[in-house]
Coordinates of all heavy atoms in Angstrom, one line a residue:
M1 N 1.7 21.8 13.2 CA 2.4 20.6 13.1 C 2.5 19.9 14.5 O 2.3 18.7 14.6 CB 3.9 20.8 12.6 CG 4.7 19.6 12.4 SD 4.0 18.5 11.1 CE 5.0 17.1 11.3
E2 N 2.7 20.7 15.5 CA 2.8 20.1 16.9 C 1.5 19.5 17.3 O 1.5 18.4 18.0 CB 3.2 21.2 17.9 CG 4.7 21.6 17.8 CD 5.7 20.5 17.8 OE1 5.6 19.6 18.6 OE2 6.6 20.5 16.8
D3 N 0.3 20.1 16.9 CA -0.9 19.6 17.2 C -1.1 18.1 16.6 O -1.6 17.2 17.2 CB -2.0 20.5 16.7 CG -2.1 21.8 17.6 OD1 -1.5 21.8 18.6 OD2 -2.9 22.7 17.1
L4 N -0.6 18.1 15.3 CA -0.7 16.8 14.6 C 0.2 15.7 15.3 O -0.3 14.6 15.5 CB -0.3 17.0 13.1 CG -0.3 15.8 12.3 CD1 -1.7 15.1 12.3 CD2 0.2 16.1 10.8
L5 N 1.4 16.1 15.7 CA 2.3 15.1 16.3 C 1.6 14.7 17.7 O 1.7 13.5 18.0 CB 3.6 15.8 16.5 CG 4.3 16.0 15.3 CD1 5.8 16.6 15.6 CD2 4.6 14.8 14.4
N6 N 1.0 15.6 18.4 CA 0.4 15.3 19.6 C -0.7 14.4 19.4 O -0.9 13.4 20.2 CB -0.1 16.6 20.4 CG 1.1 17.4 20.9 OD1 2.1 16.8 21.2 ND2 0.9 18.7 21.1
L7 N -1.5 14.6 18.4 CA -2.7 13.7 18.1 C -2.2 12.3 17.7 O -2.8 11.3 18.2 CB -3.5 14.3 16.9 CG -4.8 13.6 16.5 CD1 -5.8 13.5 17.8 CD2 -5.4 14.2 15.3
I8 N -1.1 12.3 16.9 CA -0.6 10.9 16.6 C -0.1 10.2 17.9 O -0.3 9.0 18.0 CB 0.5 11.0 15.6 CG1 0.0 11.6 14.2 CG2 1.3 9.8 15.4 CD1 1.1 11.9 13.2
G9 N 0.6 11.0 18.7 CA 1.0 10.4 20.0 C 0.0 9.9 20.9 O 0.3 9.1 21.8
E10 N -1.2 10.2 20.7 CA -2.3 9.8 21.5 C -2.8 8.4 21.1 O -3.7 7.8 21.7 CB -3.5 10.7 21.5 CG -3.1 12.1 22.2 CD -4.2 13.1 22.0 OE1 -5.3 12.7 21.4 OE2 -4.1 14.3 22.4
H11 N -2.3 7.8 20.0 CA -2.7 6.6 19.5 C -1.5 5.6 19.5 O -0.4 5.8 19.6 CB -3.1 6.8 18.1 CG -4.3 7.7 17.9 ND1 -4.3 9.0 17.9 CD2 -5.6 7.4 17.8 CE1 -5.5 9.5 17.8 NE2 -6.3 8.5 17.8
H12 N -1.9 4.3 19.5 CA -1.0 3.2 19.3 C -1.0 2.9 17.8 O -2.1 2.6 17.2 CB -1.5 2.0 20.1 CG -1.7 2.2 21.6 ND1 -0.7 2.4 22.4 CD2 -2.8 2.4 22.2 CE1 -1.2 2.6 23.6 NE2 -2.5 2.7 23.6
I13 N 0.2 2.9 17.3 CA 0.3 2.6 15.8 C 1.0 1.3 15.6 O 2.0 1.1 16.1 CB 1.2 3.7 15.2 CG1 0.4 5.1 15.4 CG2 1.3 3.5 13.7 CD1 1.1 6.3 14.9
K14 N 0.3 0.5 14.8 CA 0.9 -0.8 14.5 C 1.1 -0.9 12.9 O 0.1 -0.6 12.2 CB -0.1 -1.9 14.9 CG -0.2 -2.1 16.4 CD -1.1 -3.2 16.8 CE -1.1 -3.3 18.3 NZ -2.1 -4.4 18.8
F15 N 2.2 -1.4 12.5 CA 2.5 -1.6 11.1 C 2.3 -3.1 10.9 O 3.1 -3.9 11.4 CB 3.9 -1.2 10.7 CG 4.0 0.3 10.8 CD1 4.6 1.0 11.9 CD2 3.5 1.2 9.8 CE1 4.8 2.3 12.1 CE2 3.6 2.6 9.9 CZ 4.3 3.1 11.0
C16 N 1.2 -3.4 10.1 CA 0.9 -4.8 10.0 C 0.0 -5.0 8.8 O -0.6 -4.1 8.2 CB 0.1 -5.4 11.2 SG -1.3 -4.5 11.6
W17 N -0.1 -6.2 8.3 CA -1.0 -6.6 7.2 C -2.4 -6.5 7.7 O -2.7 -7.0 8.8 CB -0.7 -8.0 6.7 CG -1.6 -8.4 5.5 CD1 -2.8 -9.2 5.6 CD2 -1.7 -7.9 4.2 NE1 -3.4 -9.3 4.5 CE2 -2.7 -8.6 3.5 CE3 -0.7 -7.1 3.5 CZ2 -2.9 -8.3 2.2 CZ3 -0.9 -6.9 2.1 CH2 -2.0 -7.5 1.4
I18 N -3.3 -5.9 6.9 CA -4.8 -5.9 7.3 C -5.6 -6.8 6.4 O -6.0 -7.9 6.8 CB -5.3 -4.4 7.3 CG1 -4.4 -3.5 8.2 CG2 -6.8 -4.3 7.7 CD1 -4.7 -2.0 8.1
D19 N -5.7 -6.4 5.2 CA -6.4 -7.1 4.2 C -6.0 -6.5 2.8 O -5.4 -5.5 2.7 CB -7.8 -7.4 4.3 CG -8.7 -6.1 4.3 OD1 -8.5 -5.3 3.4 OD2 -9.5 -5.9 5.2
K20 N -6.5 -7.1 1.7 CA -6.1 -6.6 0.3 C -6.7 -5.3 0.0 O -6.3 -4.7 -1.0 CB -6.4 -7.7 -0.7 CG -5.3 -8.8 -0.6 CD -5.3 -9.6 -2.0 CE -6.7 -10.3 -2.3 NZ -6.6 -11.1 -3.5
S21 N -7.7 -4.9 0.7 CA -8.4 -3.7 0.4 C -8.1 -2.5 1.4 O -8.8 -1.5 1.2 CB -9.9 -3.9 0.3 OG -10.1 -5.0 -0.7
T22 N -7.4 -2.8 2.4 CA -7.3 -1.8 3.5 C -5.8 -1.4 3.7 O -5.1 -2.3 4.2 CB -7.9 -2.4 4.7 OG1 -9.2 -2.9 4.5 CG2 -8.1 -1.3 5.9
V23 N -5.5 -0.2 3.5 CA -4.1 0.2 3.7 C -4.0 0.9 5.2 O -2.9 1.0 5.7 CB -3.7 1.3 2.7 CG1 -3.5 0.7 1.4 CG2 -4.5 2.5 2.7
G24 N -5.2 1.2 5.8 CA -5.1 1.7 7.1 C -6.4 1.6 7.8 O -7.5 1.6 7.1
S25 N -6.4 1.5 9.1 CA -7.7 1.5 9.8 C -7.4 2.1 11.2 O -6.4 2.1 11.7 CB -8.2 0.1 9.9 OG -7.4 -0.7 10.7
I26 N -8.5 2.6 11.9 CA -8.4 3.0 13.3 C -9.6 2.4 14.0 O -10.7 2.3 13.5 CB -8.5 4.5 13.4 CG1 -8.3 4.9 14.8 CG2 -9.7 5.1 12.7 CD1 -8.0 6.4 15.0
D27 N -9.3 1.9 15.2 CA -10.3 1.3 16.1 C -10.4 2.4 17.2 O -9.6 2.5 18.1 CB -9.7 -0.1 16.6 CG -10.8 -0.7 17.6 OD1 -11.8 0.0 18.0 OD2 -10.6 -1.9 17.8
P28 N -11.6 3.1 17.2 CA -11.7 4.1 18.2 C -11.8 3.6 19.6 O -11.6 4.3 20.6 CB -13.0 4.8 17.7 CG -13.2 4.4 16.4 CD -12.6 3.1 16.2
S29 N -12.2 2.3 19.8 CA -12.4 1.8 21.1 C -11.1 1.7 21.9 O -11.1 1.7 23.1 CB -13.1 0.5 21.1 OG -12.2 -0.5 20.5
N30 N -10.0 1.5 21.1 CA -8.7 1.4 21.8 C -7.5 2.4 21.3 O -6.4 2.2 21.6 CB -8.3 -0.1 21.8 CG -8.1 -0.6 20.4 OD1 -8.1 0.1 19.4 ND2 -8.0 -1.9 20.3
D31 N -8.0 3.2 20.4 CA -7.0 4.2 19.8 C -5.9 3.5 19.0 O -4.8 4.0 18.9 CB -6.5 5.1 20.8 CG -7.5 6.1 21.4 OD1 -8.4 6.5 20.6 OD2 -7.3 6.6 22.6
V32 N -6.2 2.4 18.5 CA -5.1 1.6 17.7 C -5.3 2.1 16.2 O -6.4 1.9 15.6 CB -5.2 0.1 17.8 CG1 -4.3 -0.6 16.8 CG2 -4.9 -0.3 19.3
I33 N -4.2 2.5 15.6 CA -4.2 2.8 14.2 C -3.4 1.7 13.5 O -2.2 1.5 14.0 CB -3.6 4.2 13.9 CG1 -4.5 5.3 14.4 CG2 -3.3 4.4 12.4 CD1 -3.9 6.7 14.4
K34 N -3.9 1.1 12.5 CA -3.1 0.0 11.9 C -2.8 0.6 10.4 O -3.7 1.1 9.8 CB -3.9 -1.3 11.6 CG -4.1 -2.0 13.0 CD -4.9 -3.3 12.7 CE -5.1 -4.1 14.0 NZ -5.9 -5.2 13.8
I35 N -1.6 0.4 10.1 CA -1.1 0.8 8.7 C -0.4 -0.4 8.0 O 0.4 -1.1 8.6 CB -0.1 2.0 8.8 CG1 -0.8 3.2 9.5 CG2 0.5 2.3 7.4 CD1 0.1 4.3 9.7
S36 N -0.8 -0.6 6.8 CA -0.3 -1.8 6.0 C 0.8 -1.3 5.1 O 0.5 -1.1 3.9 CB -1.4 -2.5 5.3 OG -0.9 -3.5 4.5
P37 N 2.1 -1.4 5.5 CA 3.1 -0.9 4.6 C 3.2 -1.8 3.3 O 3.5 -1.3 2.2 CB 4.4 -1.0 5.4 CG 4.1 -1.5 6.7 CD 2.6 -1.8 6.8
Y38 N 2.9 -3.1 3.5 CA 3.0 -4.0 2.3 C 2.1 -3.6 1.3 O 2.4 -3.6 0.1 CB 2.8 -5.5 2.7 CG 4.1 -6.3 3.0 CD1 4.4 -6.4 4.3 CD2 4.9 -6.7 2.0 CE1 5.6 -7.1 4.6 CE2 6.0 -7.4 2.3 CZ 6.4 -7.7 3.5 OH 7.5 -8.3 3.9
L39 N 0.8 -3.3 1.6 CA -0.2 -3.0 0.6 C 0.1 -1.6 0.1 O -0.1 -1.4 -1.1 CB -1.6 -3.0 1.2 CG -2.7 -2.9 0.2 CD1 -2.6 -3.9 -0.9 CD2 -4.1 -2.9 1.0
L40 N 0.5 -0.6 0.9 CA 0.9 0.7 0.4 C 1.9 0.6 -0.7 O 1.8 1.2 -1.7 CB 1.3 1.6 1.5 CG 0.3 2.2 2.5 CD1 0.9 2.8 3.7 CD2 -0.6 3.2 1.7
I41 N 3.0 -0.1 -0.4 CA 4.1 -0.3 -1.4 C 3.6 -1.1 -2.6 O 3.9 -0.7 -3.8 CB 5.3 -0.9 -0.7 CG1 5.9 0.0 0.3 CG2 6.3 -1.3 -1.8 CD1 7.0 -0.7 1.2
A42 N 2.8 -2.1 -2.3 CA 2.4 -2.9 -3.5 C 1.4 -2.1 -4.4 O 1.7 -2.1 -5.7 CB 1.6 -4.1 -3.0
E43 N 0.5 -1.3 -3.9 CA -0.3 -0.5 -4.7 C 0.5 0.5 -5.5 O 0.2 0.8 -6.7 CB -1.4 0.1 -3.8 CG -2.4 -0.8 -3.4 CD -3.6 -0.1 -2.6 OE1 -3.4 1.1 -2.2 OE2 -4.6 -0.8 -2.5
T44 N 1.4 1.2 -4.9 CA 2.3 2.1 -5.6 C 3.1 1.5 -6.6 O 3.2 2.0 -7.8 CB 3.1 2.9 -4.5 OG1 2.4 3.5 -3.5 CG2 4.0 4.0 -5.2
L45 N 3.8 0.4 -6.3 CA 4.6 -0.4 -7.2 C 3.8 -0.8 -8.4 O 4.2 -0.6 -9.6 CB 5.3 -1.5 -6.5 CG 6.2 -2.3 -7.3 CD1 7.4 -1.4 -7.8 CD2 6.7 -3.4 -6.5
M46 N 2.6 -1.4 -8.2 CA 1.8 -1.9 -9.3 C 1.3 -0.7 -10.2 O 1.3 -0.8 -11.4 CB 0.6 -2.6 -8.8 CG -0.2 -3.3 -9.9 SD 0.8 -4.6 -10.8 CE 0.7 -5.9 -9.5
H47 N 1.0 0.4 -9.6 CA 0.5 1.6 -10.3 C 1.6 2.1 -11.2 O 1.4 2.3 -12.4 CB 0.2 2.7 -9.3 CG -0.3 4.0 -9.9 ND1 -1.7 4.3 -10.1 CD2 0.4 5.0 -10.5 CE1 -1.7 5.5 -10.7 NE2 -0.5 5.9 -10.9
E48 N 2.9 2.1 -10.8 CA 3.9 2.5 -11.6 C 4.3 1.5 -12.6 O 4.6 1.8 -13.8 CB 5.2 2.8 -10.8 CG 5.0 3.9 -9.7 CD 4.4 5.2 -10.3 OE1 4.6 5.6 -11.5 OE2 3.6 5.9 -9.5
M49 N 4.1 0.2 -12.4 CA 4.3 -0.8 -13.4 C 3.3 -0.7 -14.5 O 3.6 -0.9 -15.7 CB 4.2 -2.2 -12.8 CG 5.4 -2.6 -11.8 SD 7.0 -2.4 -12.5 CE 7.5 -0.8 -12.0
V50 N 2.1 -0.4 -14.1 CA 0.9 -0.2 -15.2 C 1.4 1.0 -16.0 O 1.3 1.0 -17.3 CB -0.3 0.0 -14.6 CG1 -1.4 0.4 -15.7 CG2 -0.8 -1.3 -13.9
H51 N 2.0 2.1 -15.4 CA 2.4 3.3 -16.2 C 3.5 2.8 -17.2 O 3.6 3.3 -18.3 CB 2.9 4.4 -15.3 CG 1.9 5.4 -14.8 ND1 1.1 6.0 -15.6 CD2 1.7 5.8 -13.5 CE1 0.3 6.8 -14.9 NE2 0.7 6.7 -13.6
C52 N 4.3 2.0 -16.7 CA 5.5 1.6 -17.6 C 5.0 0.8 -18.7 O 5.4 0.9 -19.9 CB 6.5 0.6 -16.8 SG 7.4 1.6 -15.6
Q53 N 4.0 -0.1 -18.5 CA 3.5 -1.0 -19.5 C 2.5 -0.3 -20.4 O 2.5 -0.6 -21.6 CB 2.7 -2.2 -18.9 CG 3.7 -3.2 -18.3 CD 2.9 -4.3 -17.7 OE1 2.1 -4.1 -16.7 NE2 3.2 -5.6 -18.1
F54 N 1.8 0.6 -19.9 CA 0.7 1.4 -20.7 C 0.9 2.9 -20.5 O 0.0 3.5 -19.8 CB -0.7 0.9 -20.4 CG -0.9 -0.5 -20.4 CD1 -0.7 -1.4 -19.2 CD2 -1.1 -1.2 -21.6 CE1 -0.9 -2.7 -19.3 CE2 -1.2 -2.6 -21.7 CZ -1.1 -3.3 -20.5
P55 N 2.0 3.5 -21.1 CA 2.3 4.9 -20.8 C 1.2 5.9 -21.2 O 1.2 7.0 -20.8 CB 3.6 5.2 -21.5 CG 3.8 4.0 -22.5 CD 2.9 2.9 -21.9
R56 N 0.3 5.4 -22.1 CA -0.7 6.4 -22.6 C -2.0 6.4 -21.8 O -2.9 7.2 -22.1 CB -1.0 6.1 -24.1 CG 0.1 6.3 -25.0 CD -0.3 5.9 -26.4 NE 1.0 6.0 -27.3 CZ 1.2 6.9 -28.2 NH1 0.4 7.9 -28.3 NH2 2.3 6.9 -28.8
L57 N -2.1 5.5 -20.8 CA -3.3 5.5 -20.0 C -3.4 6.7 -19.1 O -2.4 7.2 -18.7 CB -3.4 4.2 -19.1 CG -3.6 2.8 -19.8 CD1 -3.5 1.7 -18.7 CD2 -4.9 2.9 -20.5
D58 N -4.6 7.1 -18.8 CA -4.8 8.2 -17.8 C -4.7 7.7 -16.4 O -4.6 6.4 -16.2 CB -6.1 9.0 -18.1 CG -7.3 8.1 -17.9 OD1 -7.3 7.2 -17.1 OD2 -8.3 8.5 -18.5
E59 N -4.7 8.6 -15.5 CA -4.5 8.2 -14.1 C -5.6 7.3 -13.6 O -5.4 6.3 -12.8 CB -4.4 9.4 -13.2 CG -2.9 10.1 -13.3 CD -1.9 9.2 -12.8 OE1 -2.0 8.5 -11.7 OE2 -0.8 9.1 -13.5
V60 N -6.8 7.6 -14.0 CA -8.0 6.8 -13.5 C -7.9 5.4 -14.0 O -8.1 4.4 -13.2 CB -9.3 7.5 -13.9 CG1 -10.5 6.6 -13.6 CG2 -9.5 8.8 -13.3
E61 N -7.6 5.2 -15.3 CA -7.5 3.9 -15.7 C -6.3 3.1 -15.3 O -6.4 1.9 -14.9 CB -7.5 3.8 -17.3 CG -7.5 2.5 -18.0 CD -8.6 1.6 -17.7 OE1 -9.6 2.1 -17.2 OE2 -8.5 0.4 -17.8
T62 N -5.2 3.8 -15.1 CA -4.1 3.3 -14.5 C -4.3 2.8 -13.0 O -4.0 1.6 -12.7 CB -2.9 4.3 -14.4 OG1 -2.5 4.7 -15.7 CG2 -1.6 3.7 -13.8
E63 N -5.0 3.5 -12.3 CA -5.3 3.2 -11.0 C -6.3 2.0 -11.0 O -6.2 1.0 -10.1 CB -6.0 4.4 -10.2 CG -6.2 4.1 -8.7 CD -4.9 3.8 -7.9 OE1 -3.8 4.3 -8.4 OE2 -4.9 3.0 -7.0
R64 N -7.3 2.0 -11.8 CA -8.3 0.9 -11.9 C -7.5 -0.4 -12.2 O -7.7 -1.4 -11.6 CB -9.3 1.1 -13.0 CG -10.5 0.2 -13.0 CD -11.3 0.3 -14.2 NE -10.6 -0.2 -15.4 CZ -10.3 -1.5 -15.7 NH1 -10.7 -2.4 -14.8 NH2 -9.7 -1.9 -16.8
R65 N -6.6 -0.4 -13.2 CA -5.9 -1.6 -13.5 C -5.0 -2.1 -12.4 O -4.8 -3.3 -12.1 CB -5.0 -1.4 -14.8 CG -6.0 -1.3 -16.0 CD -5.1 -1.4 -17.3 NE -5.9 -1.0 -18.5 CZ -5.5 -1.3 -19.7 NH1 -4.4 -1.8 -20.0 NH2 -6.4 -0.9 -20.7
A66 N -4.3 -1.2 -11.7 CA -3.4 -1.6 -10.7 C -4.2 -2.2 -9.6 O -3.8 -3.3 -9.0 CB -2.7 -0.3 -10.1
R67 N -5.3 -1.6 -9.2 CA -6.1 -2.2 -8.1 C -6.6 -3.6 -8.5 O -6.7 -4.5 -7.7 CB -7.3 -1.3 -7.8 CG -6.9 -0.1 -7.0 CD -8.2 0.6 -6.4 NE -7.7 1.8 -5.6 CZ -7.5 1.6 -4.3 NH1 -7.6 0.4 -3.7 NH2 -7.1 2.6 -3.6
S68 N -7.0 -3.7 -9.8 CA -7.5 -5.0 -10.2 C -6.4 -6.1 -10.2 O -6.7 -7.2 -9.7 CB -8.0 -4.8 -11.7 OG -8.4 -6.1 -12.2
R69 N -5.3 -5.7 -10.5 CA -4.1 -6.7 -10.5 C -3.8 -7.1 -9.0 O -3.6 -8.2 -8.8 CB -2.9 -6.1 -11.1 CG -3.0 -6.0 -12.6 CD -1.6 -5.4 -13.2 NE -1.8 -5.3 -14.6 CZ -0.7 -5.0 -15.3 NH1 0.5 -4.6 -14.7 NH2 -0.7 -4.9 -16.7
I70 N -3.8 -6.1 -8.1 CA -3.5 -6.4 -6.7 C -4.7 -7.4 -6.2 O -4.4 -8.3 -5.5 CB -3.5 -5.2 -5.9 CG1 -2.3 -4.3 -6.3 CG2 -3.5 -5.5 -4.4 CD1 -0.9 -4.8 -5.8
Q71 N -5.8 -7.1 -6.6 CA -6.9 -7.9 -6.0 C -6.9 -9.4 -6.5 O -7.4 -10.3 -5.9 CB -8.3 -7.2 -6.4 CG -8.7 -6.1 -5.6 CD -8.6 -6.2 -4.1 OE1 -9.1 -7.2 -3.6 NE2 -7.9 -5.3 -3.4
R72 N -6.4 -9.6 -7.7 CA -6.2 -10.9 -8.3 C -5.0 -11.7 -7.7 O -4.9 -12.9 -7.8 CB -6.1 -10.9 -9.8 CG -7.4 -10.5 -10.4 CD -7.4 -10.8 -11.9 NE -6.3 -10.3 -12.6 CZ -6.2 -9.1 -13.2 NH1 -7.3 -8.4 -13.3 NH2 -5.1 -8.7 -13.9
M73 N -4.1 -10.9 -6.9 CA -2.9 -11.6 -6.5 C -3.3 -12.2 -5.0 O -4.1 -11.7 -4.4 CB -1.8 -10.6 -6.3 CG -1.3 -10.0 -7.5 SD -0.1 -8.7 -7.3 CE 1.4 -9.6 -6.7
T74 N -2.6 -13.2 -4.6 CA -2.7 -13.8 -3.3 C -1.8 -12.8 -2.3 O -1.0 -12.1 -2.7 CB -2.1 -15.2 -3.2 OG1 -0.7 -15.2 -3.4 CG2 -2.8 -16.1 -4.2
V75 N -2.1 -13.0 -1.1 CA -1.4 -12.2 -0.1 C 0.1 -12.6 -0.1 O 1.0 -11.7 -0.1 CB -1.9 -12.4 1.4 CG1 -1.0 -11.9 2.4 CG2 -3.3 -11.9 1.4
K76 N 0.4 -13.8 -0.4 CA 1.8 -14.3 -0.5 C 2.5 -13.7 -1.7 O 3.6 -13.2 -1.5 CB 1.8 -15.8 -0.6 CG 3.2 -16.4 -0.5 CD 3.1 -18.0 -0.5 CE 4.5 -18.5 -0.5 NZ 4.4 -20.0 -0.6
E77 N 1.8 -13.6 -2.8 CA 2.3 -13.0 -4.0 C 2.5 -11.5 -3.8 O 3.6 -11.0 -4.3 CB 1.4 -13.1 -5.2 CG 1.3 -14.6 -5.7 CD 0.2 -14.8 -6.8 OE1 -0.8 -14.2 -6.7 OE2 0.4 -15.7 -7.5
I78 N 1.7 -10.8 -3.1 CA 1.8 -9.3 -2.9 C 3.1 -9.1 -2.0 O 3.9 -8.3 -2.3 CB 0.5 -8.8 -2.1 CG1 -0.6 -8.8 -3.1 CG2 0.9 -7.4 -1.5 CD1 -2.0 -8.5 -2.4
K79 N 3.2 -9.9 -0.9 CA 4.3 -9.7 0.0 C 5.6 -10.1 -0.8 O 6.6 -9.4 -0.5 CB 4.1 -10.6 1.2 CG 3.1 -10.0 2.1 CD 2.9 -10.7 3.5 CE 1.9 -10.1 4.3 NZ 1.8 -10.8 5.7
R80 N 5.6 -11.1 -1.6 CA 6.8 -11.5 -2.3 C 7.2 -10.4 -3.3 O 8.4 -10.1 -3.4 CB 6.5 -12.8 -3.1 CG 7.8 -13.2 -3.9 CD 7.5 -14.7 -4.4 NE 8.6 -15.1 -5.2 CZ 8.5 -15.6 -6.5 NH1 7.3 -15.8 -7.0 NH2 9.6 -15.9 -7.1
M81 N 6.3 -9.8 -4.0 CA 6.5 -8.7 -4.8 C 7.2 -7.5 -4.2 O 8.2 -7.0 -4.6 CB 5.3 -8.2 -5.6 CG 5.4 -7.0 -6.6 SD 3.9 -6.5 -7.3 CE 3.1 -5.7 -6.0
V82 N 6.6 -7.2 -3.0 CA 7.2 -6.1 -2.2 C 8.6 -6.4 -1.7 O 9.5 -5.6 -1.8 CB 6.2 -5.6 -1.0 CG1 6.9 -4.7 -0.1 CG2 4.9 -5.0 -1.6
D83 N 8.7 -7.6 -1.2 CA 10.0 -8.0 -0.7 C 11.1 -8.0 -1.8 O 12.3 -7.5 -1.6 CB 10.0 -9.4 -0.1 CG 9.3 -9.5 1.2 OD1 9.2 -8.4 1.9 OD2 8.9 -10.6 1.6
F84 N 10.7 -8.4 -3.0 CA 11.6 -8.3 -4.1 C 12.0 -6.9 -4.5 O 13.2 -6.6 -4.8 CB 10.9 -9.0 -5.3 CG 11.8 -9.1 -6.6 CD1 12.9 -10.0 -6.6 CD2 11.5 -8.4 -7.7 CE1 13.6 -10.0 -7.8 CE2 12.3 -8.4 -8.8 CZ 13.4 -9.3 -8.9
A85 N 11.0 -6.0 -4.5 CA 11.3 -4.6 -4.8 C 12.2 -3.9 -3.7 O 13.1 -3.2 -4.1 CB 9.9 -3.9 -4.9
I86 N 12.0 -4.3 -2.5 CA 12.9 -3.7 -1.4 C 14.3 -4.3 -1.6 O 15.2 -3.6 -1.4 CB 12.3 -4.1 0.0 CG1 11.0 -3.3 0.2 CG2 13.2 -3.9 1.1 CD1 10.2 -3.7 1.4
I87 N 14.4 -5.6 -1.9 CA 15.7 -6.2 -2.1 C 16.4 -5.4 -3.3 O 17.7 -5.1 -3.2 CB 15.6 -7.7 -2.4 CG1 15.2 -8.4 -1.1 CG2 17.0 -8.2 -2.9 CD1 14.8 -9.9 -1.3
L88 N 15.7 -5.2 -4.3 CA 16.3 -4.5 -5.5 C 16.6 -3.0 -5.2 O 17.6 -2.5 -5.6 CB 15.3 -4.5 -6.7 CG 15.2 -5.8 -7.5 CD1 14.1 -5.7 -8.5 CD2 16.5 -6.3 -8.0
G89 N 15.7 -2.4 -4.4 CA 15.8 -1.0 -4.1 C 16.8 -0.6 -3.1 O 17.3 0.5 -3.1
G90 N 17.1 -1.5 -2.3 CA 18.1 -1.2 -1.3 C 17.5 -0.4 -0.2 O 16.5 -0.7 0.4
K91 N 18.2 0.6 0.3 CA 17.9 1.5 1.4 C 16.7 2.4 1.1 O 16.5 2.8 0.0 CB 19.0 2.2 1.9 CG 20.3 1.5 2.4 CD 21.3 2.3 2.9 CE 22.0 3.0 1.8 NZ 23.2 3.7 2.3
L92 N 15.9 2.8 2.2 CA 15.0 3.8 2.1 C 15.7 5.1 2.0 O 16.8 5.3 2.5 CB 14.1 3.8 3.3 CG 13.2 2.5 3.5 CD1 12.4 2.7 4.8 CD2 12.2 2.4 2.3
C93 N 15.1 6.1 1.4 CA 15.7 7.5 1.3 C 14.7 8.5 1.5 O 13.5 8.2 1.6 CB 16.3 7.6 -0.1 SG 15.2 7.5 -1.5
Ligands
ZN1 ZN1 0.1 7.6 -11.9

């Protein structure tokens, strides 16, 4: 675990929007790791919403539909959906 923490500590980590297809990236030229919390949450939320709507779908089809839905949304819609979920969900646990 310490080795992993040391490795993480050697990088600059930025939490920011990247694009609709990228939840994380690393630029080896400057050791910057970017992580997109909005997209991570949006993908997870949409995946679970597809499960709610279509409980008999398998994981592969659920994931395919969730990704398709996300890709059809605008960036503004994705961020709005996540903001709404955070408002509803309250605190992180
Ligand atoms: Zn699932």
